[in-house]
Amino acid sequence: MHAILRARSPVWDPGPVTTPPHGLRERKKQATREALREAALRLAVEYGPDQVRVEDIAEAAGVSPRTYNNYFSSREQAIVAAITADRETRIAAAVAARPARVRLADAVTEAVVKHYTNTGEREHEALLLMTTRTALRDAFLDATADIEPPLTAVIAERLGDAGPHTARVLAASVAVAVRIALEGWLQLTGNAGAAGNFRAGGLVVPSGSLSDQLHAALSPLAPAFDVAERHTQP
Amino acid sequence: MHAILRARSPVWDPGPVTTPPHGLRERKKQATREALREAALRLAVEYGPDQVRVEDIAEAAGVSPRTYNNYFSSREQAIVAAITADRETRIAAAVAARPARVRLADAVTEAVVKHYTNTGEREHEALLLMTTRTALRDAFLDATADIEPPLTAVIAERLGDAGPHTARVLAASVAVAVRIALEGWLQLTGNAGAAGNFRAGGLVVPSGSLSDQLHAALSPLAPAFDVAERHTQP
DNA sequence: GCGCAAAATTGCGTGCACGCAATTTTCCTG
DNA sequence: CAGGAAAATTGCGTGCACGCAATTTTGCGC
């Protein structure tokens, strides 16, 4: 299985605080990135996901195949990125937008739930396409990890640099909870829509809407947020 | 990038509760798996990690190259598996062994810390080998996710099936926290050993031993465990 | 505009991951 | 022990990921 949606090495890099040096260069790269995303999704929808080769996507975007892999490190990433696009930024911004008096746990949960339930028709159609192909579904689930860095930043701001790893651990936990919720939801829509919870192998597998899944997965983390928050502002 | 260390699809499968059907077949498979692990590590240490091809490992273990990929889905997995081996089982067992009166959060933390600080010489030597190669380091960090399933089981037992996803979210959060701790630790040993915390890009990067890193990363999750535990046994 | 240094793109070569279908091995049953 | 089905192994073919080094493009100071 292909792991990861992030091209960079996983070792923590705080990243530049100020805007990167060459603003114009950067915009061009983003344009290329978007062109690749769009081309990938369009071709995947039109011809079916596994009929699209990297070569095709690159050509449609006007770059060499090798350049494709400078932007996306797997064939599936570009397709997934077309759907997830600015998810990370949006969720982080939504959290930051909440007034400081609401519980951080609630702010995060609401931001996440709102994002995932507000997905338009285009995404929903594409999702059905993805869930049928194992590699695509894996890449889609792996993409949840991308919310970690921006979420870390916004949490760290709210917490005022509590413990060393605190913000990052909370952000990463949210990401992994979202992943679990999505897995549960996909499994439901995949199987027959049996309502109600049922037992399987000694574990409770929850049923319900995506919103239910997200709430169920995120709620166990709320106490961690509460304590971290209280720790900074008694 | 290659994702995941787990061969199985990421969608949740409760798995069989009873022992799998063919006990003898299974043991043979484990033998082959171990042979591949050992061969991989031995060759990697002897000739250097990137001088070892999958073909070599397979040959040393007496199977075809194609069979290698039936057991491990990347070249690096076998090498990493030789070190991490029964980590998942050991940690879960250590948690289960603690008396029910100790805080679950403490039980988990202690089990994890003890495991990672008790690694023998063999592992430490191999670790230095791995951290220098990006692909290997990534695979090593990805392997932390493997503790999720057994940890989920043991947590679920202690919690008595609290919420639907609760046990799994907690287990996955622990896994991701361990990953973060390891990343921080690797970054430290990689760079010059500057002591004390320092600021980089507005985030606090912690310094200290592996044990310190683990405690720092796991402590934010403790309240989540406490509440989940209290929720079942008031 | 000119030139130059940094950065992005590209081609090439290599090993790898994996679907598929054929083959061999294992283990159960009568 | 023979038959036969399930499971594991294997070979093959294909596309892919990525290191490396050469080349082209970009942005900036003059």
Side-chain angles (χ1 to χ4, degrees):
Chain A
M1 167 187 178
H2 307 285
I4 307 321
L5 208 53
R6 308 177 265 175
R8 64 176 175 76
S9 174
V11 159
W12 184 242
D13 172 9
V17 183
T18 59
T19 326
H22 296 97
L24 204 150
R25 254 188 162 87
E26 202 58 27
R27 255 185 304 176
K28 243 191 170 169
K29 284 183 66 171
Q30 291 309 323
T32 302
R33 188 173 225 94
E34 186 179 335
L36 285 169
R37 274 195 309 231
E38 298 303 321
L41 181 57
R42 185 175 61 77
L43 293 176
V45 169
E46 187 166 0
Y47 300 103
D50 14 69
Q51 299 306 316
V52 181
R53 292 176 309 238
V54 165
E55 188 185 347
D56 304 325
I57 302 174
E59 191 189 23
V63 297
S64 78
R66 183 62 183 85
T67 297
Y68 174 90
N69 276 300
N70 289 344
Y71 284 86
F72 298 99
S73 61
S74 87
R75 188 179 71 88
E76 291 81 12
Q77 271 190 10
I79 304 176
V80 169
I83 301 174
T84 61
D86 50 346
R87 163 181 299 171
E88 325 121 27
T89 314
R90 283 184 56 192
I91 291 183
V95 172
R98 308 270 166 167
R101 53 182 165 71
V102 308
R103 273 177 48 188
L104 181 52
D106 290 340
V108 170
T109 302
E110 288 175 32
V112 168
V113 171
K114 186 161 286 183
H115 173 85
Y116 277 95
T117 53
N118 273 10
T119 56
E121 278 308 307
R122 181 196 185 212
E123 277 108 13
H124 206 275
E125 175 192 9
L127 267 193
L128 295 182
L129 192 72
M130 299 209 311
T131 55
T132 58
R133 321 286 179 161
T134 312
L136 266 184
R137 194 193 53 195
D138 289 357
F140 172 68
L141 292 174
D142 285 342
T144 57
D146 291 354
I147 69 175
E148 188 204 302
L151 205 52
T152 298
V154 72
I155 290 174
E157 183 162 2
R158 282 282 291 256
L159 294 185
D161 295 358
H165 286 312
T166 301
R168 200 173 161 215
V169 166
L170 292 177
S173 297
V174 168
V176 86
V178 169
R179 182 197 174 99
I180 290 172
L182 287 174
E183 286 182 20
W185 179 67
L186 288 180
Q187 195 169 0
L188 279 186
T189 62
N191 300 345
N197 292 2
F198 59 96
R199 287 178 152 276
L203 290 174
V204 176
V205 178
S207 224
S209 65
L210 176 54
S211 170
D212 291 343
Q213 298 275 341
L214 287 168
H215 274 107
L218 287 173
S219 64
L221 296 177
F225 278 92
D226 291 342
V227 169
E229 202 171 21
R230 197 175 313 140
H231 215 273
T232 66
Q233 298 186 352
Chain B
M1 169 185 180
H2 307 285
I4 306 319
L5 206 54
R6 309 179 261 174
R8 64 174 174 79
S9 173
V11 158
W12 184 244
D13 173 9
V17 182
T18 57
T19 325
H22 297 97
L24 203 151
R25 254 191 165 85
E26 202 58 26
R27 255 185 304 178
K28 237 186 175 175
K29 284 183 67 171
Q30 292 308 324
T32 302
R33 187 173 226 93
E34 185 178 338
L36 286 169
R37 273 195 309 229
E38 299 303 322
L41 181 58
R42 185 175 60 79
L43 293 176
V45 169
E46 187 164 1
Y47 300 103
D50 15 70
Q51 300 305 316
V52 181
R53 291 175 311 235
V54 165
E55 188 185 346
D56 304 327
I57 302 174
E59 191 188 23
V63 296
S64 78
R66 183 62 183 84
T67 295
Y68 174 90
N69 277 298
N70 290 342
Y71 284 86
F72 299 99
S73 60
S74 86
R75 187 180 70 88
E76 292 80 11
Q77 272 190 12
I79 304 175
V80 170
I83 301 173
T84 62
D86 50 346
R87 163 181 301 170
E88 326 121 28
T89 313
R90 283 184 54 191
I91 290 183
V95 172
R98 309 269 166 170
R101 53 183 164 71
V102 309
R103 271 178 44 181
L104 181 53
D106 290 340
V108 170
T109 302
E110 287 175 33
V112 168
V113 171
K114 185 161 285 183
H115 174 84
Y116 277 95
T117 53
N118 272 11
T119 55
E121 278 308 307
R122 181 197 185 210
E123 277 108 13
H124 207 275
E125 174 191 9
L127 267 193
L128 295 181
L129 192 72
M130 299 211 309
T131 56
T132 58
R133 319 288 178 158
T134 311
L136 266 184
R137 195 195 51 194
D138 290 358
F140 172 68
L141 292 174
D142 284 343
T144 57
D146 291 354
I147 68 175
E148 189 204 301
L151 205 52
T152 297
V154 72
I155 290 174
E157 183 161 2
R158 282 282 289 256
L159 295 185
D161 294 359
H165 285 314
T166 302
R168 198 171 163 216
V169 167
L170 291 177
S173 296
V174 167
V176 86
V178 170
R179 183 198 173 99
I180 290 172
L182 287 174
E183 287 182 19
W185 179 67
L186 288 181
Q187 195 171 358
L188 278 187
T189 61
N191 301 344
N197 292 2
F198 59 95
R199 287 179 150 275
L203 290 174
V204 176
V205 178
S207 227
S209 66
L210 176 53
S211 170
D212 292 342
Q213 299 274 342
L214 287 168
H215 275 107
L218 288 172
S219 64
L221 295 176
F225 277 92
D226 291 342
V227 170
E229 202 171 21
R230 198 175 313 138
H231 214 274
T232 66
Q233 299 188 352

